[in-house]
Amino acid sequence: MYRPRSRGLTVKLIERRRTLKNENEEKAKRVGVVTLPGLFNCGNRLQCYAVCSIYKKLGHDPVSLTPKRSKAVRNAKRLLGREWRTEEEMMDPRRAARFDRFNELIEERVVNHPYKLLRRQYDLFSVGSDQTWNPNLVRGRHSWFFLGFARENQRIALSPSIGVDHLGKSGCKMLRKGVSGFKTLSIREQRGAELIREYAGLSAQVLCDPTLVIREDEWLGIANHELTPAEPFIFSYMLGGDGVIPDDVMNHLEGGRGVRVISSGSDREGEVPAGPAEFISLIENAEHVVTDSFHAAEFACILQTPLTIVRREGGPSMFSRLEQLSRMLDIDHKIYGSEGFDIARAGDYEGVPEVIERERGKFLDYLEACLHV
C-alpha cells in the first residue's frame, strides 16, 4: 500500500546554516558529546549518531565521550565474579556484533579522570539527548551529565531528557544544582521544562529529539535489511513488561490473516537480534509498528509506518516522552487507551512532515545561537 512520504522536506535548514570546514576552518569547533553509555540500546545509538551528524553538517568536529568505568565498579565486578556482567556483556553475540558495526559510524573516546583536563582538549561540550538528566539513571554521575567539569561558556544542553514525570527530594536537588551551570537551557519534554521551572526557577526551551532533524534519506542510507523479511510483518518493539502486544490490538492487526510478528528490543527468547541499522529497516518495511519505545514511535513517524503506541509496564512512569511526541506531532489517535485512539488511523500522518520541518528549524536556531555565543 502506498504511503505518502516527506522526501521533499530535507534538511536544507542545516545546509543553509552550516559553516563549511574547507572555507572557514578557524570556526570549526571540537565538540565533546556526552550521552548515556547505552551501547545496547537502539534509541541511544541513533540519537548519538544524529547529534554527531548535525554537528558535522554544521562544520564542527564531534566526539562521543564515555567515562572509563570507575575502579570501584571494576573491583566490585572482580569480587562478585563472572556472574556480574554489564548489559553489553549479556547481549546476544549476534546483536552485539550489529551494535559494534553501527558504532563505527560514531567517533568515540573513553576518558579517564580527572575530567577537568578535557576543557583544554575541546572547545564545547554538548549533553543530550537521551535521558541524560534522569536521576534514576545518572545517580552518582550527575557532575558528568551536567558538564560540571567544563567552563560555563563551554556547556550546551542539546535536548536532554529528564525522562520521568516526578522527582524525589534528591532528584530535585540534583536538577536544581545541575541546570544552574548553563547559560541557556533546552529540554526534550514539556514536563521536563515544568520541572526545571518548578525546582530551579529557570526557563528551558522544549526541542525535538535530534533524530527528527536528520532527513529520512540519510536514515534509510544507513539501514541494514538483512533481518527484514520479504513477506508482510508486524514489528513489535517493546522495552517494558513481557513484550506482548495487547490482544485486541493484535486481533485487529492480524485479522485472521496469519501475519508474522517480528519482535525485538531485548534478548528475550524468539526476538530478532537487531542493531540500530536493522531497527531502521524493520520499521521502514513493517506493515504496522507496535511499541512502548519513544524512538521506535518517532522513527515510525519519520518513515510514516502505521503505528500503535502502548504504555510501558512496570517501573517509574516515563510516558511524558511519548506524550510530548504525541502532542508535538498531533498523533494522540495512535496511543492505545487514549480517548482519541483509532487504530484505523494508524497510518494517518497528515500534517506530520510539516511539523517535523518546523521543529527542525527550532532545534537548529537554538543550536546555532549556542555555537555563536
Side-chain angles (χ1 to χ4, degrees):
M1 181 178 67
Y2 174 74
R3 299 195 302 269
R5 299 291 185 181
S6 57
R7 298 185 187 278
L9 295 174
T10 67
V11 282
K12 292 180 181 178
L13 290 164
I14 287 182
E15 295 168 356
R16 191 166 65 239
R17 291 172 169 85
R18 68 182 177 180
T19 303
L20 297 177
K21 279 189 174 183
N22 59 355
E23 294 180 1
N24 297 288
E25 188 67 33
E26 72 282 1
K27 294 184 179 180
K29 293 179 172 64
R30 185 117 168 122
V31 183
V33 176
V34 172
T35 190
L36 294 178
L39 303 183
F40 53 89
N41 181 282
C42 286
N44 171 280
R45 294 293 81 200
L46 291 164
Q47 63 81 26
C48 186
Y49 170 88
V51 169
C52 293
S53 180
I54 291 165
Y55 277 115
K56 286 178 183 178
K57 285 179 171 64
L58 292 171
H60 303 296
D61 185 13
V63 179
S64 178
L65 304 178
T66 303
K68 188 174 183 179
R69 192 173 298 156
S70 71
K71 187 179 292 185
V73 171
R74 295 198 302 273
N75 288 342
K77 181 178 179 180
R78 186 168 58 249
L79 289 170
L80 291 171
R82 294 182 179 178
E83 295 301 314
W84 191 89
R85 296 185 297 166
T86 65
E87 292 270 11
E88 289 89 347
E89 291 168 337
M90 291 188 290
M91 286 172 67
D92 181 312
R94 297 167 298 171
R95 187 164 172 253
R98 292 186 173 100
F99 270 83
D100 288 342
R101 186 167 59 201
F102 184 84
N103 287 333
E104 293 175 1
L105 300 175
I106 304 169
E107 184 179 350
E108 297 185 279
R109 176 189 170 191
V110 176
V111 298
N112 299 304
H113 282 290
Y115 299 137
K116 287 184 179 179
L117 296 176
L118 291 171
R119 68 174 63 169
R120 297 200 297 268
Q121 300 169 1
Y122 295 87
D123 301 296
L124 297 169
F125 296 92
S126 175
V127 60
S129 62
D130 216 343
Q131 298 179 63
T132 48
W133 290 355
N134 183 329
N136 299 318
L137 299 180
V138 304
R139 186 175 289 111
R141 300 173 293 166
H142 56 273
S143 181
W144 172 258
F145 287 106
F146 284 97
L147 308 182
F149 56 87
R151 294 187 294 272
E152 187 176 279
N153 63 356
Q154 291 181 304
R155 302 173 188 172
I156 297 177
L158 191 61
S159 202
S161 171
I162 296 173
V164 294
D165 302 339
H166 304 283
L167 294 174
K169 185 176 181 180
S170 62
C172 296
K173 182 178 179 181
M174 181 198 77
L175 182 67
R176 182 168 56 249
K177 180 179 179 182
V179 299
S180 66
F182 290 82
K183 288 187 174 180
T184 58
L185 288 167
S186 72
I187 198 75
R188 207 173 68 183
E189 299 92 24
Q190 182 61 40
R191 180 57 183 152
E194 292 167 0
L195 291 171
I196 290 172
R197 168 67 71 181
E198 181 177 355
Y199 296 113
L202 299 173
S203 296
Q205 184 174 349
V206 178
L207 298 179
C208 68
D209 187 82
T211 52
L212 275 182
V213 181
I214 301 301
R215 57 188 284 184
E216 178 187 359
D217 288 350
E218 182 172 345
W219 287 127
L220 296 179
I222 62 173
N224 185 304
H225 308 292
E226 64 181 350
L227 296 179
T228 303
E231 68 274 9
F233 66 95
I234 296 165
F235 184 45
S236 171
Y237 191 82
M238 310 285 269
L239 299 181
D242 56 12
V244 176
I245 299 174
D247 287 342
D248 50 344
V249 172
M250 191 64 234
N251 290 338
H252 182 93
L253 298 181
E254 200 272 342
R257 296 177 296 143
V259 179
R260 181 181 177 186
V261 176
I262 293 181
S263 299
S264 188
S266 68
D267 285 321
R268 298 186 187 97
E269 185 177 353
E271 295 200 343
V272 295
E278 295 74 28
F279 168 92
I280 296 170
S281 176
L282 287 165
I283 289 179
E284 157 68 9
N285 292 283
E287 185 177 272
H288 199 110
V289 172
V290 182
T291 188
D292 62 1
S293 158
F294 172 85
H295 281 104
E298 187 177 63
F299 270 85
C301 292
I302 293 171
L303 301 172
Q304 296 190 26
T305 303
L307 168 68
T308 295
I309 298 168
V310 297
R311 290 181 180 269
R312 187 174 302 180
E313 298 176 4
S317 175
M318 297 181 180
F319 202 70
S320 62
R321 298 178 300 151
L322 282 163
E323 285 179 331
Q324 177 65 32
L325 183 67
S326 170
R327 188 181 306 115
M328 177 190 299
L329 301 181
D330 192 20
I331 56 169
D332 182 66
H333 56 276
K334 301 181 190 299
I335 300 178
Y336 175 72
S338 71
E339 185 176 343
F341 177 65
D342 183 357
I343 201 165
R345 296 182 61 200
D348 178 2
Y349 286 98
E350 183 178 359
V352 170
E354 291 78 10
V355 175
I356 291 176
E357 189 73 1
R358 184 188 69 215
E359 294 299 323
R360 284 172 177 159
K362 288 169 57 178
F363 184 101
L364 293 166
D365 284 343
Y366 170 85
L367 180 54
E368 184 180 52
C370 291
L371 290 169
H372 291 90
V373 170

